[in-house]
Amino acid sequence: MSSEDTVSVTVGVLALQGAFHEHISRFSSLNASAKGFHVRPITVRRPDQLAQCHALVIPGGESTAIALGLRNAGLTEPVRDWIRQGRPVWGTCAGMILLASIATGGKRGGQELLGGMDVQVGRNGFGSQVYSFECDLLCPAIGDKLFPGVFIRAPIVERLLKDAAVDDALHVPQGVMVSYCSPDMRGSNPHPVEPIAWLPASEPHDASDSKNAASHVVALRQGHLFATSFHPELTTDTRLHSYFVREIVIPSRS
């Protein structure tokens, strides 16, 4: 394949807090073996850096700290506008929380969410730091080989949101802290939510069937938004980074 046939994309990794160095490394490593595309990963700390990108990654870390960093850097509204425009974003762990419409289990006072994905997630849904774990995941979109999932204080998918007008209080236990994205971001994504990866004890299915089914899902896609509750950047397996570029970033440019 000639250089003229290679698609070049700039992927920005939000670098305010969390595992952004690891994402940069994984995207850079794709260029040694990728056919058909070249990735230029850059760190994003300012709106002008975001404007250089074709896609954005919100890394794992501490979601309240990242939300505060976005606000202090003047990036909250630019990133929301980016999401509204249907531009590609991948949130890993804390990034999944920020992309959710509803997040439960936060600190007193809640936290600011970006929104964009019609999903409710629970912070630290798999347990605190001492309950971090690794397991192989079913991910048919990238092949039959299981994907090594690294879960560190990971969020859990509690339910998919079919109706923006549903009474959310009915789905949240009394006394649990709840955070909501801004009303204009709720239900703004015209695409359906698609499960991408599952815990190994469950078969691939429609996660919207029930809360129990949803809780087995650990990766979701909704249009050009992608979220994983685990940390693909902490492994040497780059298949999900390649999937993001091939299936979400490059098609968004056409």
Side-chain angles (χ1 to χ4, degrees), residues 163-185:
D163 184 353
V166 73
D167 184 357
D168 299 315
L170 296 176
H171 299 269
V172 178
Q174 187 174 5
V176 173
M177 182 60 64
V178 186
S179 300
Y180 299 93
C181 70
S182 60
D184 66 304
M185 295 299 292

Side-chain angles (χ1 to χ4, degrees), residues 14-235:
L14 190 67
L16 302 176
Q17 195 265 346
F20 56 89
H21 290 296
E22 291 83 354
H23 272 297
I24 292 286
S25 178
R26 295 288 84 76
F27 280 116
S28 296
S29 70
L30 291 179
N31 295 323
S33 58
K35 295 182 179 180
F37 67 82
H38 180 275
V39 182
R40 173 182 171 244
I42 67 170
T43 55
V44 171
R45 296 185 177 91
R46 304 187 309 268
D48 64 295
Q49 293 170 327
L50 177 64
Q52 301 175 38
C53 301
H54 298 109
L56 177 67
V57 174
I58 304 175
E62 210 291 315
S63 59
T64 54
I66 295 175
L68 180 60
L70 283 164
R71 179 60 60 187
N72 290 340
L75 275 166
T76 302
E77 290 309 316
V79 173
R80 282 197 180 121
D81 286 340
W82 179 284
I83 293 170
R84 290 187 191 102
Q85 294 165 17
R87 305 190 70 181
V89 184
W90 178 10
T92 61
C93 196
M96 172 186 267
I97 296 171
L98 290 167
L99 290 177
S101 291
I102 305 172
T104 65
K107 298 178 181 178
R108 184 181 298 276
Q111 70 169 96
E112 192 167 20
L113 302 177
L114 295 169
M117 296 193 79
D118 297 326
V119 63
Q120 174 181 311
V121 303
R123 285 170 47 104
N124 302 331
F126 289 101
S128 61
Q129 185 85 16
V130 296
Y131 293 105
S132 299
F133 65 97
E134 299 182 19
C135 72
D136 291 333
L137 305 172
L138 297 163
C139 191
I142 59 172
D144 295 333
K145 182 182 176 182
L146 298 177
F147 190 89
V150 178
F151 293 80
I152 303 173
R153 297 179 60 194
I156 193 168
V157 177
E158 294 183 334
R159 67 186 175 108
L160 306 188
L161 307 174
K162 297 181 181 179
D163 184 353
V166 73
D167 184 357
D168 299 315
L170 296 176
H171 299 269
V172 178
Q174 187 174 5
V176 173
M177 182 60 64
V178 186
S179 300
Y180 299 93
C181 70
S182 60
D184 66 304
M185 295 299 292
R186 177 70 186 275
S188 62
N189 194 324
H191 301 280
V193 180
E194 304 174 57
I196 296 295
W198 293 259
L199 293 173
S202 59
E203 294 297 325
H205 47 40
D206 180 2
S208 63
D209 288 345
S210 69
K211 180 177 178 179
N212 288 334
S215 68
H216 295 155
V217 176
V218 292
L220 298 160
R221 177 179 177 180
Q222 188 172 8
H224 292 144
L225 300 184
F226 184 42
T228 54
S229 61
F230 53 98
H231 290 265
E233 75 280 8
L234 299 184
T235 78

